[in-house]
């Protein structure tokens, strides 16, 4: 259900990013995502309502967060936090969460090829380096899957939330360092 909602929405977000790419600041978009991520973590850790019930996947929120996921992935390669803000409250199993993220971002990244190509983002693409990096990427995927299966659910999702907070703070920090 999540993929049926998120994939079309994220593709719209990629299209919006492409359409407005000349006018969007990747640092500013990243900072906004970071602020929302920090607030999300604060609510998850200290908000009573968040801990009480799991939210179901729904079209309205899914479309909103899906478009933002595609947009932020296109503009600043920071689609993870917006995806997590939609999916974490659903309290999916860890393998469903990881699989949903993997499938969604594989599709989003393929969708970004044509716009990035048109914007000449691949002019300095190093094919031998990409092939060399494919080996550790595949190994990392296999190891990551095994670790995900071994880690207890509670610890897994706490690590996801801590990572979300760290990424969110980094996005805010990057903007502040550049703006000041």
């Amino acid at each position: 259900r999540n993929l049926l909602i998120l994939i079309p929405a994220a593709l719209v977000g990629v299209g919006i990013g492409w359409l407005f790419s000349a006018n969007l600041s990747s640092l500013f978009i990243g900072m906004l995502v970071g602020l929302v991520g920090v607030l999300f973590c604060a609510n998850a850790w200290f908000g009573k309502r968040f801990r009480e019930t799991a939210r179901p996947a729904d079209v309205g929120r899914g479309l909103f967060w899906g478009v933002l996921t595609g947009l932020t992935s296109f503009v600043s390669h920071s689609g993870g936090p917006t995806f997590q803000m939609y999916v974490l409250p659903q309290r999916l199993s860890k393998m469903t969460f990881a699989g949903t993220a993997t499938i969604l971002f594989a599709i989003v990244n393929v969708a970004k090829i044509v716009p990035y190509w048109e914007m000449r983002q691949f002019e300095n693409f190093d094919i031998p380096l990409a092939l060399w990096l494919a080996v550790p990427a595949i190994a990392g995927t296999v190891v990551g899957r095994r670790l995900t299966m071994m880690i207890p659910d509670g610890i897994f999702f706490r690590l996801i939330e801590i990572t979300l907070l760290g990424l969110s703070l980094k996005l805010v920090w990057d903007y502040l360092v550049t703006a000041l």
Side-chain angles (χ1 to χ4, degrees):
R1 178 158 168 84
N2 277 311
L3 290 173
L4 290 174
I5 297 168
L6 290 170
I7 290 170
L11 294 176
V12 168
V14 169
I16 292 169
W18 185 12
L19 184 64
F20 294 104
S21 61
N23 302 49
L24 295 173
S25 162
S26 62
L27 285 171
F28 183 74
I29 296 289
M31 184 268 307
L32 291 177
V33 169
L35 288 175
V36 173
V38 169
L39 293 173
F40 175 86
C41 288
N43 184 49
W45 295 338
F46 306 112
K48 181 180 176 188
R49 190 177 126 228
F50 184 87
R51 290 188 302 270
E52 288 178 352
T53 58
R55 283 188 182 167
D58 71 86
V59 175
R61 281 195 311 269
L63 292 176
F64 175 78
W65 290 110
V67 168
L68 285 180
T69 296
L71 175 65
T72 56
S73 179
F74 185 86
V75 173
S76 62
H77 304 292
S78 61
T82 51
F83 165 79
Q84 291 170 0
M85 286 181 267
Y86 172 66
V87 177
L88 282 175
Q90 296 176 29
R91 298 191 183 159
L92 303 172
S93 73
K94 64 184 174 187
M95 296 308 287
T96 301
F97 173 87
T100 302
T102 301
I103 293 167
L104 176 66
F105 285 107
I107 291 169
V108 166
N109 287 334
V110 167
K112 293 189 298 187
I113 292 172
V114 170
Y116 282 5
W117 191 280
E118 189 270 335
M119 295 168 57
R120 300 178 177 230
Q121 297 294 310
F122 296 119
E123 287 185 348
N124 295 321
F125 187 71
D126 189 341
I127 292 175
L129 177 62
L131 292 173
W132 184 81
L133 290 173
V135 173
I138 292 168
T141 301
V142 171
V143 170
R145 181 179 185 276
R146 287 199 177 143
L147 287 174
T148 299
M149 291 173 60
M150 291 172 30
I151 297 172
D153 285 9
I155 294 171
F156 175 81
F157 285 109
R158 184 60 67 184
L159 289 172
I160 295 293
E161 291 170 351
I162 291 168
T163 303
L164 172 59
L165 179 63
L167 289 170
S168 297
L169 291 171
K170 170 81 167 90
L171 292 169
V172 172
W173 176 258
D174 288 349
Y175 178 77
L176 292 174
V177 167
T178 304
L180 301 176

